[in-house]
Amino acid sequence: MQAGKLRHRCIIERPTQQQDPNTGEMIRGWEEVAKAWMGIEPLSVRGFIAANAAQSEVSGQLVMRYRPGLQVDSSMRVRKGSTIYNIEGVLPDNRSGREYLTLPYSEGVNHG
């Protein structure tokens, strides 16, 4: 992957729970884990048809450089502005001797 394709500055977030000090109720939220440059690649028409046939929610993939110490999993999400990308999986990828992570995503549904 060419560096120019990783042109979207995104925020990786993980779910959190905090207790409301007044009511004691547990409140779900999100906290920032890291910022990363990513490529955002919607599914092709063929991929979209295949995903629908498999009843998959995946609508595209995010690609980022692998970062040692950063553990990304499917409980997390990626945010770019007001757009939320729910991570549906994490696929390590070795292209051209460089290491990337490919994150299949669904869009528009906020897990949590």
Side-chain angles (χ1 to χ4, degrees), residues 37-100:
W37 291 99
M38 296 188 181
I40 302 173
E41 303 171 0
L43 282 181
S44 65
V45 171
R46 178 178 289 170
F48 184 74
I49 291 169
N52 281 341
Q55 297 181 342
S56 170
E57 292 184 12
V58 173
S59 54
Q61 64 185 15
L62 303 164
V63 179
M64 64 178 280
R65 291 190 192 282
Y66 170 78
R67 290 172 47 182
L70 176 61
Q71 297 292 323
V72 179
D73 63 48
S74 60
S75 71
M76 298 174 157
R77 72 182 190 180
V78 172
R79 184 168 47 87
K80 180 181 180 287
S82 62
T83 304
I84 302 297
Y85 301 95
N86 298 303
I87 298 172
E88 300 296 337
V90 179
L91 308 170
D93 188 14
N94 294 320
R95 299 184 212 181
S96 307
R98 296 182 182 160
E99 294 185 12
Y100 294 90

